[in-house]
């Protein structure tokens, strides 16, 4: 780990705290994809999951620990022995592993959630850290709800955790209640009062309920914390966690005020943001700092005029520094494979030969339909191609009857495990008819939780990007599809979500295909 005293470790918890947000559940393959992206970005520690929480979490931590070797891989555990042993088991294959154990220390949590006395919690802190140390020297301890914890008790617990062997002490603002000055003072108070604090790295973990997560984390760093826990796009419980991209860019752009460094390759921020958004189906707010669609857009005449004269008039960082290249017209109908491959490379994509050929074919089809192809079009197209990659169910054709004269109907052909199935269905609108047709061919009980369409670029010939979220037996999956035809994109998005559900069910049974469906 970097020994520079001004190095701030980035501890990414997108796969643990981020995934805990309702509707953000990810498959194993998706978690691996994100973990590999985080590794490529230079994240110091990846919190890969909460192994005792479910077999899925256990497996994800185990696979990430095997495959992702550069960052430290961390598993979360409550204070009980079973939790800690399970985390250790999941981390067995890791080159560098960390167990992160936590227990609540605030009066309200101890009384109502844990039903434990302060003395019992204190003993549990020591026992849990000591148990985790049986498996690894790298143990992190967190007092959950630290910002609402009695200060004397917090100091005692932090001292005990370090004495028991914790090398990182994380101070969560679990409910997003702190203000920046207060949070900074809390970190400073721990540094001043805990005698052995110098033996541990202090970490921030701030939730965003009041929109202060990033400001609080930075106040913590200014006061002496040298690890920040954060997530891509600020994903996380309720209003989310501190957003990694905002922390990284604030430290970089305002190095004059905050002379601290991270190891993050900021040029990969946009790609990471898109990947997480695409996998979870959580759109990024247009005006979100750093990664929002409008974050670098200059619309008003005065601003555009200033920008043309000198970009420093309205731009505090270059779009390229977060991986955005100019979004002007990029390729046309006559562009060849070489130009296409180079453009994809510049956008951060390296496709295998089959995926490349499929993407190139789709690019040509798109260029036939759409006069101007922008970078956003290519990103949507390639992301979509990657999503479709190994799917067992694929959309072969879709014909729709829509308009004022009902009934609206869909004639759909799906390829299911290589075999074509055809069906006709009606519905109270073309989307409903399309989804009913899919349900007829692949019966399932999953409920549609979200259906969302957005235009990738401007103009009526723009590609539509559709996100769908399905829920079955408490598990949610997100699907995505892109096409110039909104209904085709909708069919792909629904089918993509269904494919993910099948992956989840795969270990028990093959997909059922309706006997009523004709070839
Ligand atoms: O917000 C929180 O307190 C947490 C802990 C488990 C660190 O996520
Ligand atoms: Zn949290």
């Amino acid at each position: 780990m970097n020994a520079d005293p001004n190095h701030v470790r980035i501890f990414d918890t997108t796969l643990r705290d981020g995934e805990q947000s309702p509707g953000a559940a990810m498959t194993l393959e998706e978690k691996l994809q994100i973990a590999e992206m985080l590794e490529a970005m230079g994240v110091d520690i990846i919190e890969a999951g909460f192994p005792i929480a479910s077999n899925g979490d256990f497996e994800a931590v185990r696979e990430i620990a095997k495959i992702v070797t550069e960052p430290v891989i961390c598993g979360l555990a409550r204070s009980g022995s079973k939790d800690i042993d399970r985390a250790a088991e999941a981390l067995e294959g890791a080159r560098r592993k960390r167990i992160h154990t936590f227990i609540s220390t605030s009066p309200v949590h101890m009384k109502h959630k844990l039903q434990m006395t302060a003395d019992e919690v204190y003993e549990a802190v020591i026992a849990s850290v000591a148990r985790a140390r049986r498996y690894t020297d790298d143990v992190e301890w967190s007092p959950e709800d630290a910002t609402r914890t009695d200060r004397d008790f917090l100091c005692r617990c932090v001292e005990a955790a370090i004495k028991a062997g914790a090398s990182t002490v994380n101070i969560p603002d679990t409910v997003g209640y702190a203000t920046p000055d207060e949070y900074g003072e809390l970190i400073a108070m721990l540094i001043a009062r805990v005698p052995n604090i110098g033996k541990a790295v202090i970490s921030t973990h701030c939730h965003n309920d009041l929109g202060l997560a990033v400001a609080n984390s930075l106040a913590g760093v200014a006061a002496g914390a040298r690890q920040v826990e954060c997530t891509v796009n600020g994903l996380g419980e309720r209003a989310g966690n501190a957003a990694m991209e905002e922390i990284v860019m604030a430290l970089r752009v305002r190095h004059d005020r905050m002379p601290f460094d991270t190891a993050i390759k900021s040029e990969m921020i946009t790609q990471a943001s898109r990947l997480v958004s695409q996998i979870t189906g959580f759109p990024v707010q247009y005006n979100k700092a750093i990664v929002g669609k409008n974050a670098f857009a200059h619309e008003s005449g005065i601003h555009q005029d200033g920008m043309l004269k000198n970009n420093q008039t309205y731009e505090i960082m270059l779009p390229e520094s977060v991986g955005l290249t100019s979004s002007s017209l990029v390729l046309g109908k006559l562009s060849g494979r070489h130009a296409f491959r180079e453009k994809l490379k510049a956008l951060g994509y390296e496709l295998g030969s089959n995926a490349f050929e499929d993407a190139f074919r789709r690019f040509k089809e798109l260029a036939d339909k759409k006069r101007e192809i922008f970078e956003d079009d290519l990103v949507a197209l390639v992301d979509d191609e990657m999503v479709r990659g190994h799917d067992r169910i694929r959309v072969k054709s879709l014909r729709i009857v829509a308009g004022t004269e009902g009934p609206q109907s869909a004639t759909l052909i799906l390829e299911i495990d290589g075999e074509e199935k055809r069906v006709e269905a009606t519905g109270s609108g073309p989307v409903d008819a399309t989804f009913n047709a899919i349900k007829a061919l692949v019966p399932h009980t999953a409920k549609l939780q979200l259906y969302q369409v957005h235009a990738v670029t401007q103009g009526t010939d723009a590609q539509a990007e559709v996100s769908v979220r399905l829920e079955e037996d408490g598990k949610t999956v997100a699907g995505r599809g892109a096409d110039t035809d909104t209904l085709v994109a909708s069919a792909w998005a629904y089918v993509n979500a269904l494919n993910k559900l099948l992956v989840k069910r795969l270990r028990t049974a093959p997909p059922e295909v309706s006997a009523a469906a004709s070839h």
Side-chain angles (χ1 to χ4, degrees):
M1 199 82 70
N2 193 324
D4 176 351
N6 287 341
H7 174 70
V8 174
R9 294 155 182 81
I10 294 294
F11 175 114
D12 183 278
T13 184
T14 306
L15 298 174
R16 198 281 296 171
D17 222 343
E19 208 226 3
Q20 263 170 243
S21 21
M26 307 171 203
T27 64
L28 175 61
E29 291 70 23
E30 290 166 342
K31 287 184 184 179
L32 274 168
Q33 232 182 316
I34 291 179
E36 283 172 348
M37 165 71 73
L38 295 173
E39 177 177 43
M41 285 179 89
V43 163
D44 299 277
I45 304 114
I46 297 177
E47 188 162 54
F50 190 179
I52 196 117
S54 69
N55 288 339
D57 256 49
F58 177 85
E59 235 183 276
V61 176
R62 195 170 57 173
E63 287 308 303
I64 291 169
K66 274 193 227 152
I67 290 166
V68 178
T69 54
E70 224 20 71
V72 173
I73 306 301
C74 176
L76 184 69
R78 287 166 300 189
S79 60
S81 309
K82 276 194 188 144
D83 273 51
I84 293 166
D85 296 350
R86 191 78 173 142
E89 194 186 340
L91 290 166
E92 260 164 21
R95 188 167 82 86
R96 298 197 289 163
K97 59 178 156 211
R98 173 179 296 187
I99 296 177
H100 175 191
T101 178
F102 72 100
I103 189 165
S104 293
T105 50
S106 67
V108 64
H109 275 222
M110 289 192 294
K111 181 166 177 209
H112 298 288
K113 186 179 119 171
L114 299 177
Q115 289 160 350
M116 284 168 82
T117 65
D119 285 344
E120 286 166 342
V121 167
Y122 181 79
E123 290 308 321
V125 172
I126 298 169
S128 58
V129 173
R131 188 157 190 109
R133 277 298 302 262
R134 288 193 197 174
Y135 300 106
T136 172
D137 290 346
D138 191 346
V139 173
E140 172 170 330
W141 177 73
S142 290
E144 191 184 359
D145 205 15
T147 49
R148 295 192 298 169
T149 294
D150 172 78
R151 300 299 189 244
D152 291 341
F153 184 55
L154 185 63
C155 287
R156 273 183 66 213
C157 289
V158 168
E159 184 180 352
I162 296 172
K163 195 164 170 215
S167 49
T168 303
V169 171
N170 179 44
I171 306 300
D173 183 24
T174 305
V175 291
Y177 181 69
T179 62
D181 58 332
E182 183 185 21
Y183 191 77
E185 279 166 23
L186 178 61
I187 302 297
M189 185 276 296
L190 290 169
I191 292 172
R193 287 186 51 191
V194 176
N196 56 0
I197 197 79
K199 292 187 178 158
V201 171
I202 304 178
S203 168
T204 68
H205 180 109
C206 300
H207 280 268
N208 203 32
D209 299 66
L210 293 174
L212 294 172
V214 169
N216 286 343
S217 307
L218 294 174
V221 170
R226 288 294 177 269
Q227 174 178 291
V228 172
E229 303 200 351
C230 49
T231 57
V232 175
N233 295 341
L235 193 69
E237 293 259 21
R238 309 181 308 278
N241 290 58
M244 189 228 274
E245 59 279 3
E246 296 179 25
I247 300 279
V248 168
M249 291 314 289
L251 290 179
R252 195 163 155 179
V253 174
R254 296 311 311 271
H255 205 259
D256 56 326
R257 304 286 302 183
M258 300 179 283
F260 310 104
D261 301 302
T262 72
I264 299 299
K265 295 183 185 81
S266 64
E267 297 73 18
M268 294 187 70
I269 280 176
T270 300
Q271 209 184 330
S273 165
R274 282 177 179 152
L275 181 70
V276 169
S277 169
Q278 176 214 322
I279 283 177
T280 56
F282 280 33
V284 176
Q285 182 186 327
Y286 275 22
N287 58 334
K288 159 100 176 55
I290 317 294
V291 290
K293 208 179 169 69
N294 292 350
F296 293 89
H298 302 276
E299 192 77 26
S300 84
I302 295 173
H303 286 207
Q304 284 182 347
D305 182 53
M307 284 293 290
L308 287 171
K309 289 176 175 144
N310 183 325
N311 63 353
Q312 285 185 8
T313 49
Y314 289 103
E315 211 162 65
I316 58 163
M317 57 195 146
L318 291 174
E320 290 79 6
S321 66
V322 299
L324 275 176
T325 44
S326 120
S327 63
S328 57
L329 200 61
V330 284
L331 294 172
K333 216 170 158 158
L334 301 176
S335 305
R337 279 186 174 69
H338 183 69
F340 185 64
R341 193 187 296 282
E342 288 305 307
K343 193 71 215 172
L344 292 190
K345 234 193 220 167
L347 290 169
Y349 295 102
E350 298 257 10
L351 302 185
S353 53
N354 287 347
F356 175 81
E357 284 307 323
D358 287 345
F360 185 66
R361 181 185 44 74
R362 285 189 61 190
F363 156 68
K364 285 289 186 182
E365 284 167 13
L366 184 63
D368 272 339
K369 289 188 205 158
K370 195 171 181 292
R371 262 183 323 116
E372 299 171 317
I373 307 276
F374 297 90
E375 278 184 359
D376 286 349
D377 282 316
L378 293 184
V379 168
L381 185 151
V382 176
D383 283 349
D384 195 53
E385 199 51 48
M386 283 159 74
V387 157
R388 292 181 192 182
H390 309 289
D391 285 354
R392 294 173 63 187
I393 309 171
R394 299 176 68 83
V395 178
K396 288 307 283 186
S397 85
L398 176 68
R399 183 168 291 280
I400 295 287
V401 176
T404 49
E405 309 300 318
Q408 285 82 14
S409 67
T411 306
L412 175 73
I413 301 178
L414 292 182
E415 187 184 288
I416 303 171
D417 290 334
E419 213 180 316
E420 286 192 7
K421 310 273 176 188
R422 180 180 184 280
V423 79
E424 270 183 55
T426 55
S428 59
V431 177
D432 193 41
T434 303
F435 289 0
N436 285 341
I438 296 172
K439 280 182 216 153
L441 290 177
V442 188
H444 56 274
T445 54
K447 298 260 175 309
L448 182 68
Q449 279 191 334
L450 170 102
Y451 170 74
Q452 194 167 264
V453 184
H454 102 264
V456 173
T457 54
Q458 289 171 351
T460 48
D461 64 349
Q463 286 188 91
E465 201 165 36
V466 175
S467 299
V468 154
R469 196 177 308 137
L470 296 179
E471 189 266 335
E472 184 182 65
D473 299 333
K475 291 194 181 80
T476 54
V477 286
R480 185 187 160 282
D483 199 280
T484 46
D485 185 316
T486 307
L487 294 163
V488 173
S490 304
W492 273 110
Y494 196 103
V495 159
N496 176 234
L498 215 45
N499 275 300
K500 290 185 191 173
L501 272 187
L502 293 181
V503 170
K504 280 191 190 269
R505 286 199 231 136
L506 191 64
R507 284 149 199 125
T508 48
E512 287 172 43
V513 174
S514 167
S518 59
H519 285 236

